[in-house]
Amino acid sequence: MSDSGAIGPAGAPATASAADSWRVTLPCTRAEAEAIDAASDLAIDAVLMTTEEVEDDVERWRLDAYMDAAPDAAMLAALGALVPSAGGRAAEVVQLTDEDWVTLSQQGLEPIREGRFVVHTSAHPPTPEPGTRAFLIDAGRAFGTGHHGTTSGCLAMLDRMALDGKRFAKVIDIGTGTGLLAFAALELWPEADVTATDIDPVAIEVTAANATLNGVEGTRLIVADGTLDDAIVAHAPYDLVIANILAGPLVSMAPEIAAIAAPGATVLLAGLLETQREGVEAAYRACGCTVEARDRRGDWTVLRLAAGAERYVPTQPFDPKGRDGWALDI
């Protein structure tokens, strides 16, 4: 069983908290799950999560909606409209306690290893291994525990680049979530200047706490909408740009990401479904980038691109429309 993704109200980053929350569950298909995960404009005040219940069965998926109040008829109707394959089937409605949230946030999160990195939660400490770097990242208020293919794929891509001898002096992780990818970059290139940003102030708080917990020092943290922050722009260009968010924001942000990339910089993109890959690649090709590598993980794809030989200059003002729905990973 694998999680496809999760988005919060109107596409905002999902957060798990609070006693007496509620969960609504409906069956769905993979196509419906992909449409939900890719949407950036769902006006539903709930955290939405889609899950594959039977591996490789496109008809056996599940939609879970988490909310902080008992669902009314309008909420149930809105959720039902997202999954027409359910055929009007009555939704399962469950009230959750604090204990339920703790269990949900930690279940199945055994340590994972990608290259030299081991990512684990407090509930599942790893067995120490020589030559590895362990990061303690608990599930909770921000995304990026490493257990989703998007984040694990990025870790693998970063580790592979280091093994291939790539060196970076200035790194930015856009939509950092828990800070994991920024921490990994700093571990691989300890002399690098690393910036981690997120549109969600809670994610930056979580990243700061995780940095302390894992003994990571020197990461610059910025709350920002995309690259639209004076400190980010003033510090450009970056020779490694990481953005693990969603396809919609990646496309919308292509010109501004290209604009802060140094000539020939590496751009690492994740959070996109394979079905969305061509659209994302086209957006970045239009900004002078070329695809160097792809890493497909189930339905998800990680892209490594190279910026153009000359620094990209946008031809029109940036448009923040379309970038609702930031960090994806759980």
Side-chain angles (χ1 to χ4, degrees), residues 170-171 193-195 220 230-238 260 311:
K170 194 177 292 186
V171 179
D193 182 306
V194 177
T195 299
R220 180 185 298 102
D230 290 343
I232 293 174
V233 175
H235 209 60
Y238 304 86
I260 64 168
R311 191 169 174 188

Side-chain angles (χ1 to χ4, degrees), residues 3-6 37 112 114 143-158 175 180-181 242-247 250 268-274 276 295-303 326-330:
D3 292 329
S4 171
D37 295 339
I112 66 159
E114 286 291 346
F143 288 111
T145 63
H147 290 77
H148 193 283
T150 56
T151 305
S152 61
C154 286
L155 288 173
M157 194 81 80
L158 290 169
L180 176 58
L181 297 180
I242 305 166
N244 179 21
I245 42 181
L246 290 173
L250 287 175
L268 195 60
L269 305 178
L272 58 137
L273 294 160
E274 172 62 20
Q276 301 163 329
D295 184 349
R296 183 170 178 179
R297 308 243 167 163
D299 294 328
W300 302 87
T301 296
V302 178
L303 298 175
W326 270 77
L328 165 71
D329 219 355
I330 59 172

Side-chain angles (χ1 to χ4, degrees), residues 17-93:
S17 62
D20 299 331
S21 297
W22 295 76
R23 181 184 66 206
V24 176
T25 301
L26 282 163
C28 67
T29 65
R30 186 175 76 175
E32 291 166 344
E34 290 180 354
I36 292 168
D37 295 339
S40 62
D41 57 353
L42 297 178
I44 295 179
D45 190 15
V47 174
L48 305 181
M49 180 179 293
T50 56
T51 304
E52 181 184 37
E53 293 200 294
V54 178
E55 188 172 1
D56 296 328
D57 187 337
V58 298
E59 301 298 323
R60 298 289 297 280
W61 284 64
R62 185 181 78 243
L63 168 65
D64 291 307
Y66 297 90
M67 58 207 72
D68 57 10
D72 57 17
M75 171 64 78
L76 294 175
L79 294 172
L82 297 177
V83 289
S85 67
R89 177 174 166 179
E92 177 188 353
V93 180

Side-chain angles (χ1 to χ4, degrees), residues 117-133:
F117 299 114
V118 178
V119 187
H120 66 99
T121 65
S122 300
H124 299 280
T127 301
E129 299 177 55
T132 64
R133 172 58 156 106

Side-chain angles (χ1 to χ4, degrees), residues 48-292:
L48 305 181
M49 180 179 293
T50 56
T51 304
E52 181 184 37
E53 293 200 294
V54 178
E55 188 172 1
D56 296 328
D57 187 337
V58 298
E59 301 298 323
R60 298 289 297 280
W61 284 64
R62 185 181 78 243
L63 168 65
D64 291 307
Y66 297 90
M67 58 207 72
D68 57 10
D72 57 17
M75 171 64 78
L76 294 175
L79 294 172
L82 297 177
V83 289
S85 67
R89 177 174 166 179
E92 177 188 353
V93 180
V94 177
Q95 186 175 12
L96 304 173
T97 65
D98 272 339
E99 289 74 18
D100 293 322
W101 273 116
V102 172
T103 300
L104 284 167
S105 69
Q106 302 298 332
Q107 65 184 4
L109 298 186
E110 290 80 12
I112 66 159
R113 178 168 179 170
E114 286 291 346
R116 75 197 69 189
F117 299 114
V118 178
V119 187
H120 66 99
T121 65
S122 300
H124 299 280
T127 301
E129 299 177 55
T132 64
R133 172 58 156 106
F135 288 114
L136 169 57
I137 306 289
D138 277 321
R141 298 188 300 157
F143 288 111
T145 63
H147 290 77
H148 193 283
T150 56
T151 305
S152 61
C154 286
L155 288 173
M157 194 81 80
L158 290 169
D159 187 66
R160 195 175 307 128
M161 288 193 294
L163 290 173
D164 289 343
K166 284 186 174 290
R167 296 291 180 265
F168 300 105
K170 194 177 292 186
V171 179
I172 186 167
D173 178 18
I174 300 171
T176 194
T178 61
L180 176 58
L181 297 180
F183 302 162
L186 195 57
E187 176 71 18
L188 294 170
W189 301 286
E191 301 303 318
D193 182 306
V194 177
T195 299
T197 81
D198 204 288
I199 195 171
D200 183 8
V202 170
I204 294 301
E205 292 175 8
V206 170
T207 296
N210 283 337
T212 300
L213 193 63
N214 288 281
V216 176
E217 298 181 354
T219 304
R220 180 185 298 102
L221 304 180
I222 300 175
V223 177
D225 179 1
T227 69
L228 305 183
D229 182 275
D230 290 343
I232 293 174
V233 175
H235 209 60
Y238 304 86
D239 53 3
L240 174 59
V241 181
I242 305 166
N244 179 21
I245 42 181
L246 290 173
L250 287 175
V251 170
S252 172
M253 293 167 58
E256 61 192 86
I257 286 179
I260 64 168
T266 295
V267 180
L268 195 60
L269 305 178
L272 58 137
L273 294 160
E274 172 62 20
T275 55
Q276 301 163 329
R277 175 180 57 78
E278 291 185 359
V280 174
E281 289 181 354
Y284 284 80
R285 279 197 301 269
C287 299
C289 298
T290 56
V291 178
E292 290 190 324

